[in-house]
Amino acid sequence: MTERRETLGTLFQDVARLRVFCFNSLLKDLDLTATQAWVLSTLMEEEGVIQGDLAQKLGIRAVTLGGLVDRLESKQWIERRPDDRDRRAKRIWLTRAGRKLEKRINTSLQDVHDISIGEMPTKDVEQLRKLVTRVRENLRGYKSQLDDS
């Protein structure tokens, strides 16, 4: 069997996958996935957003968000309401039960962070943050060029 060559790309993918795994395991008792929590967290910052705008903000397709919203709505964590100005548009709001998840989601995010960095010195964590931020900005710049063309 050939050994897989480890590249920066495979490291990013493995880290992302493992972080999602950890997050999912921490919220398993709520039947809440990392992706669903991402939607809820975004709504906790800005409630009442139009569904299409939320998809754009999350950087996912509207169809993908539609399925997530359906599942979150079935769990009674969010609700869709018609927009006052455009009856075709739906705004998404947290329910009282959805708002109650905020502390648990934030605690789990902190736990995943703590697991991820382990005993890494603070200066190394800060350097890593700066480097990954630079990588993200490079990728956003490339995406922006594609979006503009």
Side-chain angles (χ1 to χ4, degrees), residues 20-31:
V20 167
F21 173 84
C22 290
F23 194 80
N24 286 344
S25 73
L26 292 169
L27 295 175
K28 185 177 183 179
D29 63 307
L30 293 176
D31 191 28

Side-chain angles (χ1 to χ4, degrees), residues 9 20 24 42 44 51 53 59 70 106 117 123 139 143:
V20 167
N24 286 344
T42 303
M44 289 169 189
Q51 189 166 326
D53 294 343
D70 288 344
N106 289 339
I117 64 166
K123 67 179 179 58
L139 292 168
K143 181 183 180 302

